[in-house]
Amino acid sequence: MKHRYTTIIIGIIVLVTMGLLTGCVTLRPATIQMNKDIRAYTHVYIPATQTKESAIGVPVVGVILPYAQSVNPRDVIAGGFSKRGFIVLHDIEERVRPKTLIVSYGESGRRRVALGMGSTTEVILQLVSAETGELVGTATAEGCGDTESDDIKQAITRALAALFK
């Protein structure tokens, strides 16, 4: 009986240690709220977003080299919609306004994880009808990577996956 408890305790210690060392975190499930069917739209307009830059130190042969990454959320969103057959517009065109979604991006928060050694970024995508201005739906998701740029890419990708599920 004593051996059984020892095995369980060692197993728990190993799992916690692996979680801390790998930065493993359980992300909250992506959520969507749809008021209309997204399949009624064929075009998207995504307003300009600012590029997010982040840097980390990468150890290479005993030396830590700075490594910078950047991401423009608009580009990730445009790629996700293009991949699913939507036409990405640079301006809202009057002739396709009834079939156009305006997709807005926002960061809705950060959450500390792994005993404060890491964090997640939560993003929200808001889909609005270009014709009526009504809210078509929202998608919210978290992302967790090596940098804030990675967090944003992963969060947007997860939000889009939930939206098109």
Side-chain angles (χ1 to χ4, degrees), residues 17-33:
T17 303
M18 290 302 293
L20 291 174
L21 292 176
T22 62
C24 181
V25 63
T26 302
L27 298 174
R28 293 178 183 148
T31 59
I32 61 165
Q33 178 182 352

Side-chain angles (χ1 to χ4, degrees), residues 1-14:
M1 191 71 160
K2 185 176 179 181
H3 178 50
R4 178 185 230 176
Y5 290 123
T6 305
T7 304
I8 292 172
I9 291 172
I10 290 173
I12 291 171
I13 291 171
V14 168

Side-chain angles (χ1 to χ4, degrees), residues 122-134:
E122 184 179 65
V123 303
I124 184 164
L125 302 179
Q126 186 179 57
L127 291 75
V128 176
S129 167
E131 182 178 40
T132 64
E134 292 178 298

Side-chain angles (χ1 to χ4, degrees), residues 2 6 26 30 38 41 46-47 71 83 88 99 105 111 120 122 127 129 151:
K2 185 176 179 181
T6 305
T26 302
I38 195 172
Y41 300 91
I46 307 160
V71 64
K83 182 178 180 180
V88 178
K99 296 280 187 179
Y105 161 85
R111 179 171 64 104
T120 65
E122 184 179 65
L127 291 75
S129 167
D151 294 357

Side-chain angles (χ1 to χ4, degrees), residues 96-162:
V96 292
R97 185 179 287 268
K99 296 280 187 179
T100 301
L101 281 174
I102 300 170
V103 182
S104 300
Y105 161 85
E107 292 178 28
S108 49
R110 293 184 64 77
R111 179 171 64 104
R112 285 267 186 233
V113 293
L115 298 177
M117 298 177 69
S119 64
T120 65
T121 300
E122 184 179 65
V123 303
I124 184 164
L125 302 179
Q126 186 179 57
L127 291 75
V128 176
S129 167
E131 182 178 40
T132 64
E134 292 178 298
L135 181 66
V136 174
T138 60
T140 306
E142 284 185 324
C144 183
D146 292 334
T147 65
E148 187 177 4
S149 297
D150 289 338
D151 294 357
I152 291 168
K153 287 178 198 173
Q154 185 182 39
I156 291 170
T157 302
R158 291 182 70 234
L160 289 173

